[in-house]
Amino acid sequence: MDIDVYYSDPGRGWWPIEDLALLAARLFRTDIRPVRSERSSRLNLIRHQLLGAPGRRKRDRAALLIAPSLWNVVEFVREPDLLSQYSQIATYICDSMHVETFTRPGVFRHFDLVARIRPHDENIYRKWVGERALYAPFGTDALDRGGWRGARDLDVLRVGRQPAAWEDDAASAVKAATAGLTFQGRPPMIEGHEDATQSLLGFYRRSKFTIAHSNLVAAHGSTHATKEYITARWTDALACGTVVAGVQPTGDRGVAEELWPEGLIHLDDTDIEANLGEIAQANAAWTPEVARYNHLMSLKRLDWRWRLRTIATAMDWKVPALDQDILRLEDRIVAVESGAA
């Protein structure tokens, strides 16, 4: 069965999810098909309201919609002619936890599978779609973008949003030096998705510890106010071997189920001097084995290919290229376990 991959691009901050879409498209042997972010024409909306979505033609073709948010699913469904092209449709939703502001759960009647990246609200998804609900946690491309070898010349890396105590990179560098640690503030902004991603991954691979705090203590306008969750700052960092230190988002059950104690430092608060003191203790005991183990566990637990296989299995999709990459992933696990790679 041919499988088309759709993605709605919200911009730079969503590049890790775009990478997931690009990986899915490569493995499903297709190009990413864009979902229009603007509203459909008035004529299409009226047609949809009056006539309903047309029945699907039973063709040997399926679609996977990788949706940054719940509302991107609505955008997809607003194209009535699109639905009729597929005998099967699945969606994989990133920010699936914003259920309290979502008013269109009826759109899910068009989907054979509704997978969510966030662990929250299982009861609500079960109410909306029953057995068609699936949880497949946040991941990373550990196989092709991760690694553990090389010099770790940076003790502490700061990436992304931070609580107030960690916001001033110059002040943080001084305090880190006092604690005997080298510190890297915000990596330079680089234009272009691939160049920027490779630059950030390079900083991860140079760092022993990365600072990332729960969204509940490092709030931002785009974060949820009450539900904690991990992001690529955890999964990409771990795939590159670095330990993630911070007030951990333990409200995301993926922290307990998908991550591992050696990959995290659980800080009690955001007091920077106390935080750096704990990191300095861990730094004194750090060896390259820490990086190797984090990369190995990322291969075993976090790679997006495992998530895509979960979705493909649930949909009964045969994806030879995904099967081949799983074999490559398993070979890499064996090699890293033996220290050969």
Side-chain angles (χ1 to χ4, degrees):
M1 176 177 287
D2 293 327
I3 306 165
D4 294 331
V5 175
Y6 287 82
Y7 177 68
S8 180
D9 180 11
R12 184 185 186 106
W14 291 90
W15 282 348
I17 303 303
E18 184 176 346
D19 285 335
L20 164 62
L22 289 166
L23 176 63
R26 178 176 69 78
L27 295 176
F28 294 167
R29 297 288 193 249
T30 187
D31 295 323
I32 290 180
R33 301 190 177 202
V35 178
R36 296 195 306 176
S37 58
E38 72 274 9
R39 289 183 177 272
S40 299
S41 69
R42 184 179 179 186
L43 178 60
N44 255 356
L45 287 175
I46 292 173
R47 177 184 176 186
H48 195 190
Q49 291 165 358
L50 294 180
L51 302 179
R56 294 189 203 158
R57 295 194 297 269
K58 293 299 180 182
R59 300 176 54 187
D60 194 26
R61 195 166 198 87
L64 172 63
L65 166 63
I66 295 178
S69 76
L70 283 159
W71 287 101
N72 297 122
V73 180
V74 177
E75 293 169 359
F76 182 86
V77 171
R78 278 184 178 140
E79 299 297 328
D81 293 333
L82 190 61
L83 298 176
S84 65
Q85 298 178 29
Y86 302 103
S87 60
Q88 290 183 309
I89 305 177
T91 184
Y92 190 21
I93 308 166
C94 180
D95 276 7
S96 55
M97 67 286 190
H98 291 286
V99 296
E100 63 277 357
T101 60
F102 188 63
T103 59
R104 297 286 301 279
V107 299
F108 291 127
R109 70 183 183 275
H110 302 292
F111 291 83
D112 301 283
L113 184 74
V114 178
R116 67 191 194 284
I117 285 180
R118 308 303 185 184
H120 318 84
D121 309 304
E122 181 173 4
N123 60 328
I124 293 177
Y125 279 87
R126 291 288 180 183
K127 179 181 177 181
W128 285 348
V129 301
E131 294 302 313
R132 291 177 291 134
L134 180 71
Y135 167 50
F138 206 101
T140 184
D141 186 353
L143 179 60
D144 287 336
R145 292 189 179 273
W148 69 276
R149 292 191 180 278
R152 299 270 166 174
D153 60 312
L154 301 175
D155 294 327
V156 182
L157 172 67
R158 172 259 167 87
V159 175
R161 64 178 182 272
Q162 297 290 339
W166 279 93
E167 189 61 25
D168 187 332
D169 284 343
S172 296
V174 171
K175 293 173 181 177
T178 301
L181 299 167
T182 56
F183 175 82
Q184 170 66 48
R186 297 172 181 83
M189 295 286 286
I190 295 177
E191 293 301 319
H193 176 171
E194 186 60 23
D195 288 343
T197 298
Q198 289 296 342
S199 175
L200 177 56
L201 295 174
F203 278 103
Y204 283 139
R205 286 191 287 267
R206 291 174 54 194
S207 305
K208 298 175 185 175
F209 303 90
T210 293
I211 296 295
H213 289 279
S214 163
N215 53 290
L216 297 191
V217 299
H220 184 272
S222 63
T223 62
H224 200 285
T226 61
K227 298 172 185 175
E228 293 181 296
Y229 48 90
I230 61 174
T231 68
R233 289 195 297 152
W234 279 262
T235 56
D236 287 355
L238 288 165
C240 292
T242 183
V243 176
V244 181
V247 177
Q248 301 296 341
T250 53
D252 183 335
R253 77 183 201 223
V255 172
E257 296 176 358
E258 304 295 324
L259 306 186
W260 49 96
E262 297 84 353
L264 304 173
I265 295 178
H266 287 265
L267 301 175
D268 293 331
D269 54 39
T270 61
D271 179 274
I272 188 169
E273 284 86 359
N275 293 170
L276 289 167
E278 291 190 53
I279 294 170
Q281 291 181 18
N283 189 57
W286 186 93
T287 69
E289 170 61 19
V290 174
R292 186 195 69 85
Y293 188 73
N294 284 338
H295 177 55
L296 174 63
M297 294 300 288
S298 298
L299 292 166
K300 288 182 174 182
R301 296 188 180 183
L302 301 181
D303 198 278
W304 284 125
R305 292 162 183 81
W306 302 124
R307 315 315 190 217
L308 292 172
R309 186 171 75 169
T310 295
I311 291 170
T313 299
M315 295 294 291
D316 198 26
W317 289 342
K318 309 302 180 187
V319 189
L322 175 58
D323 294 338
Q324 293 167 10
D325 256 28
I326 292 290
L327 292 175
R328 192 163 62 92
L329 180 55
E330 292 172 340
D331 287 344
R332 173 73 177 175
I333 288 169
V334 172
V336 175
E337 281 183 324
S338 68

